[in-house]
């Protein structure tokens, strides 16, 4: 590549890339949370209509416990998204750990909720007539792009190393 095409100075590329990732990872998290929210709402709507043993599926206590956990985790993750967005809006540039935490948790939650939504739909959850089938596939990619979740666990873990 000709030197005339060089952006910045040699050696400055990695910091520029990392700064861009700190802003793009929250967008992946927002995407994941949109998937999670859609899967959750589809599942709730379905189990409010579908009956088993003469009762709506939503009336079973075990299902209610599952919904409570998923709704709570979703609310907490959405709140963390707004927190990280505020930090970025305030001009904070060192949000690497917060962005990694957000991307990691949001994408794992999207996969968890989408998988539970498919399960709650039973056999219907696996066919293309129901959106949850696609949402589960869409959730999976959010665990991979912008750094796999294994990489994010490593980045978060490394942030606790004392840099003497």
């Amino acid at each position: 590549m000709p030197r005339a095409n060089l952006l910045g100075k040699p050696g400055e590329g990695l910091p520029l890339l990392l700064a861009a990732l700190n802003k793009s990872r929250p967008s992946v998290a927002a995407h994941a949370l949109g998937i999670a929210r859609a899967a959750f709402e589809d599942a709730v709507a379905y189990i409010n209509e579908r009956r088993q043993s003469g009762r709506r599926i939503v009336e079973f206590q075990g299902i209610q416990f599952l919904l409570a956990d998923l709704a709570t985790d979703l609310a907490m993750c959405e709140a963390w998204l707004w927190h990280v967005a505020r930090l970025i809006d305030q001009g904070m540039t060192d949000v690497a750990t917060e962005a990694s935490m957000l991307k990691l948790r949001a994408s794992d939650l999207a996969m968890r909720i989408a998988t539970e939504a498919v399960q709650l739909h039973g056999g219907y959850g696996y066919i293309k007539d129901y959106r949850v089938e696609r949402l589960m596939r869409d959730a999976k990619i959010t665990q991979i792009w912008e750094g796999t979740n294994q990489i994010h666990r490593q980045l978060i873990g490394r942030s606790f190393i004392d840099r003497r």
Side-chain angles (χ1 to χ4, degrees):
M1 172 183 348
R3 279 237 187 262
N5 294 346
L6 185 66
L7 297 176
K9 296 177 185 158
E12 291 181 346
L14 184 60
L16 283 172
L17 172 67
L18 294 176
L21 287 174
N22 290 342
K23 291 184 179 178
S24 64
R25 286 175 174 154
S27 70
V28 172
H31 181 134
L33 289 173
I35 293 167
R37 174 64 61 189
F40 183 81
E41 290 175 1
D42 284 6
V44 169
Y46 181 79
I47 64 176
N48 264 290
E49 296 298 321
R50 180 83 168 132
R51 300 181 87 75
Q52 182 67 37
S53 303
R55 296 167 55 194
R56 292 181 299 162
I57 294 173
V58 74
E59 294 174 12
F60 290 93
Q61 186 180 52
I63 300 298
Q64 292 171 356
F65 287 177
L66 172 65
L67 294 177
D69 288 341
L70 295 177
T72 300
D73 290 348
L74 188 54
M76 291 171 61
C77 208
E78 288 171 341
W80 187 252
L81 171 63
W82 287 107
H83 169 72
V84 173
R86 272 191 302 277
L87 294 177
I88 292 168
D89 282 350
Q90 292 167 359
M92 191 169 171
T93 56
D94 186 16
V95 294
T97 301
E98 291 86 351
S100 284
M101 289 175 171
L102 174 60
K103 189 272 184 189
L104 165 71
R105 188 57 66 220
S107 60
D108 278 353
L109 183 61
M111 193 65 211
R112 180 174 161 224
I113 291 176
T115 301
E116 293 290 0
V118 166
Q119 186 72 28
L120 289 168
H121 277 73
Y124 292 125
Y126 204 69
I127 62 173
K128 291 184 179 182
D129 293 355
Y130 289 83
R131 182 170 69 159
V132 294
E133 179 270 340
R134 191 194 83 238
L135 291 172
M136 188 172 76
R137 285 184 289 114
D138 291 349
K140 186 62 190 170
I141 193 62
T142 66
Q143 293 179 308
I144 297 169
W145 61 26
E146 296 288 337
T148 66
N149 284 0
Q150 292 78 6
I151 293 296
H152 286 282
R153 285 181 174 88
Q154 188 175 25
L155 293 171
I156 295 163
R158 283 183 183 167
S159 75
F160 297 103
I161 297 173
D162 189 3
R163 308 280 183 205
R164 296 174 200 211

